[in-house]
Amino acid sequence: MSARRIRAARMDLDGFLAIQKGRSTDKTSRLTGLLLEPFSQLDLGDNDLVIDYAPSQTPAASVRQLLALGYNKGSWTGLGLASSAAAATPATALGWAEASELYSTFPAVFSGQTVDETAILIGFVPTGDANLDGITDLADFARLGSTFNLPADWSRGDFNYDGTADLADFAQLAANFNQSLPLGRDAGFDPRATIPEPLTAPAALLLLARRRRSRPQRTCVARVDDITAG
């Protein structure tokens, strides 16, 4: 099934759902919770997703694992949270961050959606864009530098979803330096608010798929303009 966007309190997906391509803030999806059953995939294409969770109940660990599954060694064709647009467009990816990692004041605006500090932001971005502002630049080098050779998530330099910001991530960012998407972020987004201290010299240089019994293959193809629920 494909949809223009998803705006619902929660989604439990057992199967395959794709957001229709054609980057637009009108097509940004928004949920308060997301569960993907084993062998399921949510393909965000070239659009974004906000998960506005309840305070003290961050799903960050699950989101990271779902994105690691979708990343699938860089192919972006895996199960979990994937992107057919990133699979077809070199040097693009799905990046993510807690809103509190990117903004200093709230409410803020991400991809056309008003967010508070208890939200996870997932964006279709250039590889290496740690702060999800649509361009790889010195601000992203600074974020990687702040956790170089340490455990990290995307917003601190882990661009290959292996759990550490290291030389492999540095190489991805450097190869994509000053690259941007055709459609930038909203004017309300200010990545400068959370840039760490300047780099030191060295820094400058799963959700596990649970087994279950096989079942007869089911085929269902559908397209809708909007999935919306209260």
Side-chain angles (χ1 to χ4, degrees), residues 60-174:
S62 294
V63 167
R64 184 193 173 281
Q65 290 168 337
L66 287 170
L67 285 165
L69 283 174
Y71 178 74
N72 193 28
K73 299 180 180 179
S75 71
W76 283 110
T77 59
L79 299 173
L81 279 166
S83 170
S84 55
T89 310
T92 60
L94 292 180
W96 74 282
E98 292 271 8
S100 57
E101 273 281 296
L102 304 185
Y103 298 94
S104 59
T105 59
F106 294 93
V109 176
F110 173 79
S111 198
Q113 294 292 304
T114 301
V115 299
D116 59 18
E117 60 269 32
T118 57
I120 288 180
L121 316 177
I122 302 171
F124 177 70
V125 295
T127 300
D129 178 16
N131 60 15
L132 309 187
D133 68 348
I135 185 170
T136 56
D137 54 20
L138 287 176
D140 304 307
F141 271 115
R143 284 180 166 271
L144 188 157
S146 69
T147 56
F148 192 69
N149 277 341
L150 296 172
D153 289 320
W154 177 280
S155 63
R156 292 293 172 181
D158 176 25
F159 307 129
N160 59 9
Y161 287 96
D162 66 357
T164 303
D166 54 21
L167 283 175
D169 304 298
F170 181 95
Q172 288 196 49
L173 199 166

Side-chain angles (χ1 to χ4, degrees), residues 14 20 66:
D14 187 2
Q20 296 158 15
L66 287 170

